[in-house]
Amino acid sequence: MKAYLKSINNPEEKSQLQRDLSVIDFHPDKDRFAAYTGHQGDQIVQYASFYFKRLHTLREFVMAECQKKWGYKAQIASKKRNEDQIPSSSESSQEGGDNPVIMNNILDVKPGLETVIIGTLYKEMPKKPCILSNLVGVLRDKGPNVNYCSPEDYLILEDSSGRIKIKPQSIKNANPGNFVTGSIMGMKGKVDQNGLFEVEEYTYAGINPEHIEKMPKSITSNKKYIAIVSGLEFGNQNNTEYLLYLKRFFRGEHGDAMLASKINRLIIAGNSIQEPQEQDNVNRGSYRTHDLNIKVYSQLIDLTDQLENYLTQLTQYVPVELMPGESDFTSALLPQQQLHPSLFPNLLKNRNGHLTPNPYFNLLSNPCKLSIDDITLIGTSGQTIQDIQKYSSFTDPLQIMEHNLTIRHLAPTCPDTLRSYPFTDRDPFILSQFPHVYFCGNQRQFGTKFVSAGFENQTNKEKGIHIVSIPKFRESGSFVVVELGSLEIQEVKLIGRTTKCIKPAVLTVANQVVSIENISSAASPVAD
């Protein structure tokens, strides 16, 4: 362990690399994901209000998509739950033609009447772990690659009035595995004689070009980059070389020094330390684990100290923004709040011993929202994507991220299978406005895609969101850079004495995105 610490935390001379940090405007939105839940005092809070706020906020977006997809003349039933005000199937065909009736309450549907219902999707899964069963053993699930989907799964749509079961196999070209619990959606169909809703079509809130942040008008000729890395995992001795290469890269002594000089910020997207092996036993909370608790928490403190020593050196070369992750020393509830400043006394302490802000080191939440030179980024440390992989048939992180944009929600499985704070006044994960870049850390491999939202009416320019999956640094030895002017995205892979820049050339053909990898290498001018 001593050799490990010496190799990555050995004090070195300051870098001679000239880095331009004067022209970047950086603003983290620290209020967006603050853990203020909206309740006061000792009031007991249930998660029902969290779901209600989500439905209430996203319903208008889904309603607009329903009317756009199934006709602007679609009838909207009266808000009053009065049997006389809801048309029958014969009345609907005479008054509204082929337009379905959009119900305000799910329980107001009538058999045989073509209806649109809007609600929160819930997926009943027999294989989903039960919290009571978990109390017998460990609190965690079986592992990162487990999937709980089965042929017995079925869907339910619910709102504040009640719920209705979706008729199995009634959705064409879709199965329950293609849906995610917690999504707000609209379904068009009819209720059969058994009280099941037979779906003809469905829709989500969708991506509206008008709700995408506008690109800044003034773009300078000088290229400026930000770098995003995730999964440093201090405590794992297999990544010693990678951590050393990363530090030397930002010193300008490993690989492309010109690229390193143009990177203005480094965002670390979670999992900066490795979880101790006995952490799962500590999570049981048994009094018999007292000695084990002391051992595990001592390891966590030691790893955090190693991380701080490394970041103290790294911030001499580039400003660092640190997000928490699943294995970091913080609460597991989403949104994860910033790591406590007292964990980094050397970075956030002045001569008088008081914690003060450091312009070259900033603590972020998970998820986080950033504005850099009027470019908006929203990112997570990976838990939201990995949880959806366990409870759906989605496997590709980019596919899940695009789905999250379509349903306008960063974490639909919160709080069902992903723990979160019990918000009562808002749902912070809702995407009322879309960012320019949406990234997710701690994924198996690098990937990027431009999700088109269509063309703007006034300028006829295509608008969309760049989505990026950030690979685990411990496994890949790579990070991602984003050019702030053109939003060009590439992977920088640290290999031996060189760096490989993998630049996906994104082509849009018939609304499908095709990625072509162009690989270029730059030799290190300084021997390690």
Side-chain angles (χ1 to χ4, degrees):
M1 180 61 73
K2 290 183 179 180
Y4 169 70
L5 292 175
K6 185 177 180 180
S7 63
I8 60 176
N9 289 327
N10 186 32
E12 303 177 34
E13 296 180 1
K14 282 200 170 184
S15 171
Q16 301 300 317
L17 189 70
Q18 297 296 320
R19 190 183 306 279
D20 181 14
L21 300 175
S22 60
V23 203
I24 191 166
D25 188 19
F26 175 77
H27 296 287
D29 188 349
K30 294 189 176 182
D31 295 329
R32 167 70 184 271
F33 296 104
Y36 172 73
T37 58
H39 67 278
Q40 300 177 352
D42 298 330
Q43 179 184 1
I44 297 177
V45 180
Q46 299 291 330
Y47 283 101
S49 56
F50 191 11
Y51 279 119
F52 174 78
K53 201 66 183 179
R54 182 184 305 179
L55 175 59
H56 178 76
T57 305
L58 290 177
R59 180 182 174 86
E60 59 178 296
F61 297 116
V62 178
M63 178 82 74
E65 285 296 311
C66 290
Q67 293 179 320
K68 179 181 178 181
K69 188 171 184 178
W70 299 314
Y72 284 98
K73 296 182 181 180
Q75 305 176 65
I76 302 178
S78 172
K79 293 184 178 180
K80 297 180 180 180
R81 295 187 59 194
N82 190 333
E83 293 287 339
D84 298 333
Q85 294 178 342
I86 300 175
S88 62
S89 57
S90 59
E91 293 171 342
S92 175
S93 60
Q94 294 175 2
E95 297 178 7
D98 295 331
N99 296 317
V101 177
I102 301 178
M103 291 295 180
N104 282 287
N105 297 290
I106 287 178
L107 294 187
D108 288 338
V109 296
K110 289 186 174 182
L113 174 64
E114 189 175 58
T115 307
V116 173
I117 54 177
I118 300 174
T120 306
L121 185 72
Y122 179 76
K123 184 157 58 173
E124 190 66 50
M125 307 179 68
K127 290 187 177 181
K128 184 170 72 173
C130 173
I131 185 62
L132 296 179
S133 300
N134 286 340
L135 289 176
V136 178
V138 295
L139 294 175
R140 299 185 58 177
D141 52 39
K142 299 178 181 179
N145 300 323
V146 67
N147 186 277
Y148 298 108
C149 293
S150 71
E152 290 76 29
D153 297 347
Y154 61 89
L155 305 177
I156 294 172
L157 198 67
E158 59 182 19
D159 63 8
S160 57
S161 70
R163 52 168 45 188
I164 189 169
K165 183 177 178 180
I166 307 303
K167 186 175 181 179
Q169 300 177 348
S170 66
I171 306 177
K172 296 180 180 179
N173 302 322
N175 60 71
N178 298 334
F179 297 88
V180 179
T181 290
S183 306
I184 308 300
M185 61 187 306
M187 293 182 172
K188 185 182 79 168
K190 298 178 181 180
V191 178
D192 66 9
Q193 297 179 351
N194 298 320
L196 303 178
F197 195 78
E198 189 170 357
V199 180
E200 298 174 4
E201 295 180 83
Y202 65 90
T203 189
Y204 295 108
I207 306 173
N208 192 326
E210 298 178 358
H211 297 156
I212 297 178
E213 300 280 359
K214 293 184 178 180
M215 288 290 293
K217 295 181 180 180
S218 58
I219 299 178
T220 61
S221 57
N222 297 328
K223 289 188 176 183
K224 294 179 291 184
Y225 294 84
I226 61 168
I228 310 174
V229 67
S230 66
L232 299 182
E233 293 193 17
F234 269 78
N236 189 307
Q237 299 188 23
N238 295 330
N239 65 340
T240 307
E241 284 189 335
Y242 285 154
L243 290 171
L244 187 60
Y245 292 161
L246 181 67
K247 186 168 59 176
R248 289 182 176 176
F249 172 83
F250 285 104
R251 284 171 54 88
E253 298 176 351
H254 187 100
D256 193 341
M258 182 64 69
L259 174 63
S261 68
K262 294 181 180 180
I263 296 177
N264 297 85
R265 294 270 166 176
L266 171 63
I267 300 173
I268 302 177
N271 288 7
S272 297
I273 65 175
Q274 186 181 51
E275 187 177 275
Q277 293 182 356
E278 294 93 349
Q279 179 71 48
D280 195 37
N281 293 327
V282 173
N283 290 339
R284 300 185 188 186
S286 171
Y287 68 92
R288 290 173 292 184
T289 61
H290 177 267
D291 294 338
L292 185 59
N293 289 352
I294 297 176
K295 177 183 176 182
V296 168
Y297 284 114
S298 297
Q299 292 177 359
L300 289 172
I301 293 172
D302 183 46
L303 294 176
T304 304
D305 289 342
Q306 295 176 31
L307 173 64
E308 185 192 25
N309 292 336
Y310 183 82
L311 294 179
T312 301
Q313 296 179 53
L314 197 60
T315 52
Q316 297 177 17
Y317 321 131
V318 62
V320 173
E321 316 298 324
L322 182 62
M323 295 171 58
E326 184 179 17
S327 63
D328 292 322
F329 197 14
T330 185
S331 171
L333 297 178
L334 291 183
Q336 286 182 299
Q337 300 305 286
Q338 58 181 251
L339 293 166
H340 201 279
S342 63
L343 296 174
F344 307 97
N346 295 329
L347 285 165
L348 298 172
K349 185 172 65 175
N350 60 14
R351 294 179 180 178
N352 298 326
H354 299 290
L355 294 173
T356 56
N358 183 342
Y360 294 97
F361 180 68
N362 195 34
L363 297 171
L364 304 176
S365 62
N366 170 38
C368 71
K369 180 180 179 181
L370 306 169
S371 177
I372 306 177
D373 277 2
D374 295 327
I375 298 296
T376 304
L377 299 91
I378 287 182
T380 74
S381 296
Q383 299 100 308
T384 56
I385 304 300
Q386 291 154 4
D387 194 65
I388 292 177
Q389 289 174 331
K390 296 175 184 177
Y391 298 95
S392 72
S393 59
F394 295 132
T395 57
D396 182 10
L398 295 180
Q399 186 182 19
I400 297 175
M401 295 173 74
E402 184 175 0
H403 180 77
N404 288 351
L405 293 174
T406 304
I407 66 176
R408 302 183 75 139
H409 203 277
L410 294 173
T413 56
C414 280
D416 180 50
T417 54
L418 195 59
R419 289 171 289 182
S420 69
Y421 290 95
F423 293 93
T424 59
D425 61 337
R426 73 193 192 284
D427 184 344
F429 305 111
I430 290 176
L431 292 169
S432 299
Q433 290 286 124
F434 294 100
H436 298 107
V437 179
Y438 169 33
F439 68 87
C440 179
N442 296 291
Q443 301 305 305
R444 296 180 183 176
Q445 60 185 13
F446 164 71
T448 183
K449 180 179 180 180
F450 178 76
V451 180
S452 176
F455 292 86
E456 193 175 24
N457 294 331
Q458 299 177 350
T459 62
N460 201 31
K461 292 183 178 180
E462 188 175 20
K463 299 187 69 176
I465 306 102
H466 295 267
I467 58 177
V468 193
S469 67
I470 314 297
K472 295 179 182 179
F473 183 75
R474 180 183 66 82
E475 298 177 357
S476 64
S478 64
F479 59 93
V480 173
V481 293
V482 181
E483 202 277 303
L484 295 176
S486 63
L487 294 184
E488 179 188 34
I489 298 168
Q490 57 182 308
E491 179 187 22
V492 178
K493 204 168 187 65
L494 304 175
I495 304 176
R497 299 181 180 180
T498 66
T499 58
K500 282 188 177 181
C501 297
I502 303 175
K503 305 176 181 180
V506 181
L507 306 176
T508 304
V509 181
N511 295 326
Q512 294 183 352
V513 177
V514 182
S515 296
I516 305 175
E517 290 187 350
N518 299 322
I519 302 179
S520 61
S521 300
S524 174
V526 179
D528 291 331

